[in-house]
Amino acid sequence: MKLTIEELRKNPLPEHIAIIMDGNGRWAKRQGLPRLAGHRIGVQALKNVVMAFDELNIKYLTVYAFSTENWKRPADEIDGLMELIVEFLDKEIDYLDAHGVCVHPIGDVSVLTGKARDKILAAYERTKENNNIIFNVALNYGGRQEIIRGIKQLCQDVQDNKCTIDEIDEKLFNQYLYTANQPDPDLLIRSSGELRISNFLLWQIAYTEMWVSDVMWPDFSKQDLWRAIYDYQNRERRYGGLGK
Ligand code: IPE
Ligand code: IPE
Ligand code: MG
């Protein structure tokens, strides 16, 4: 069944969707192309997803673009990925800004190579007041790294008497994450069929609904996104209770 936007609007939409954009390399291999060609088409798929968010008025989008583990890849692939980040921002920043998208990097971007760090920080600087879509781009991001970073900052604040140990609870700790002041993802999508989290948003996805597609990321279309949302709308979230 082909979904329509009217169908999706009948039920509450997720507020926050997180996506593990996986399968670029395998897609390229199947086409007999270099891995970087897969990443390049993958960037196009990402643009389509951002446009779909705009159309549906979904406010929070978090995408996994480069993990703390991805440094294990060959240098030429890493360099190519960094270059693609630069190209994407150069090409799309006007569109993103005009559509009220805040391009918000999450992860330790200080060590990104080439022009990638400066570009992403400049994109954030330019768009930080935008409020239509909060577009979290995970770059050199790891869930464990994020938690350790938060713990260190929190310990520092305790040491500086800005808060006490007794005040520490889940709500307070949330403020020490990259996603402070944002709702947790309602839905986590992973393309390419892998059934793992790969160190993404470990804290935030405690009660997130998961949806995995066998489609490789470069082939991921608006219809795939809509299917994920539709399936999500037909689930019952019980949060450990007994439901309806
Ligand atoms: C995801 O595609 C993109 C990044 C990790 C940067 P992959 O490059 O992991 O593609 P596969 O998993 O090898 O097919
Ligand atoms: C996760 O994909 C990271 C990104 C999509 C950026 P990977 O391809 O790196 O994950 P693993 O290695 O299959 O767990
Ligand atoms: Mg992969």
Side-chain angles (χ1 to χ4, degrees):
M1 181 184 87
K2 209 164 154 52
L3 290 165
T4 60
I5 201 157
E6 292 73 33
E7 192 67 39
L8 293 179
R9 289 204 174 114
K10 283 181 192 158
N11 290 300
L13 290 160
E15 232 189 318
H16 185 172
I17 301 179
I19 306 181
I20 301 174
M21 308 181 289
D22 197 14
N24 293 347
R26 276 162 287 164
W27 180 91
K29 196 171 177 198
R30 284 180 194 172
Q31 319 277 322
L33 296 168
R35 291 180 60 84
L36 209 59
H39 295 313
R40 190 173 286 281
I41 308 295
V43 172
Q44 202 48 57
L46 174 59
K47 170 78 189 292
N48 292 337
V49 163
V50 176
M51 291 196 296
F53 268 62
D54 198 24
E55 194 182 8
L56 280 169
N57 280 315
I58 300 177
K59 181 159 176 183
Y60 297 93
L61 167 63
T62 303
V63 299
Y64 210 1
F66 193 88
S67 75
T68 47
E69 287 71 35
N70 287 146
W71 296 106
K72 293 175 190 161
R73 297 189 180 200
D76 61 341
E77 181 169 347
I78 295 173
D79 291 347
L81 283 165
M82 296 295 150
E83 185 51 38
L84 276 180
I85 293 160
V86 172
E87 274 177 36
F88 172 76
L89 291 170
D90 279 344
K91 184 157 171 261
E92 304 297 350
I93 192 67
D94 289 340
Y95 168 91
L96 294 167
D97 196 19
H99 285 77
V101 179
C102 166
V103 181
H104 179 236
I106 66 171
D108 180 9
V109 296
S110 69
V111 296
L112 293 186
T113 47
K115 295 194 187 107
R117 181 196 58 166
D118 295 348
K119 282 283 170 194
I120 191 77
L121 291 176
Y124 178 58
E125 206 46 48
R126 172 165 166 187
T127 62
K128 65 184 179 196
E129 307 295 337
N130 291 348
N131 209 22
N132 194 23
I133 298 176
I134 310 301
F135 180 28
N136 299 307
V137 185
L139 286 168
N140 189 22
Y141 173 90
R144 288 185 171 180
Q145 182 274 340
E146 177 182 38
I147 291 168
I148 296 290
R149 170 185 170 273
I151 290 170
K152 284 184 175 172
Q153 290 183 353
L154 181 51
C155 288
Q156 189 65 55
D157 283 354
V158 170
Q159 209 171 52
D160 297 345
N161 295 314
K162 288 184 186 151
C163 66
T164 66
I165 288 177
D166 283 341
E167 278 166 1
I168 299 172
D169 59 11
E170 293 180 15
K171 192 160 168 263
L172 182 75
F173 187 61
N174 251 308
Q175 294 303 313
Y176 289 83
L177 298 174
Y178 293 119
T179 52
N181 300 314
Q182 299 185 24
D184 287 337
D186 301 297
L187 173 62
L188 171 68
I189 294 173
R190 184 166 189 151
S191 59
S192 89
E194 306 293 358
L195 299 175
R196 56 177 168 263
I197 299 299
S198 303
N199 201 14
F200 195 37
L201 303 175
L202 298 179
W203 173 276
Q204 296 91 335
I205 60 171
Y207 255 104
T208 299
E209 295 292 325
M210 296 175 63
W211 191 88
V212 175
S213 163
D214 283 335
V215 171
M216 297 293 150
W217 181 253
D219 285 333
F220 197 89
S221 66
K222 183 163 95 173
Q223 214 21 244
D224 294 314
L225 177 73
W226 284 7
R227 172 65 52 192
I229 294 170
Y230 180 81
D231 288 351
Y232 162 86
Q233 289 174 322
N234 287 286
R235 291 192 191 172
E236 188 188 14
R237 301 181 80 180
R238 287 191 289 275
Y239 300 99
L242 297 182
K244 288 182 204 119

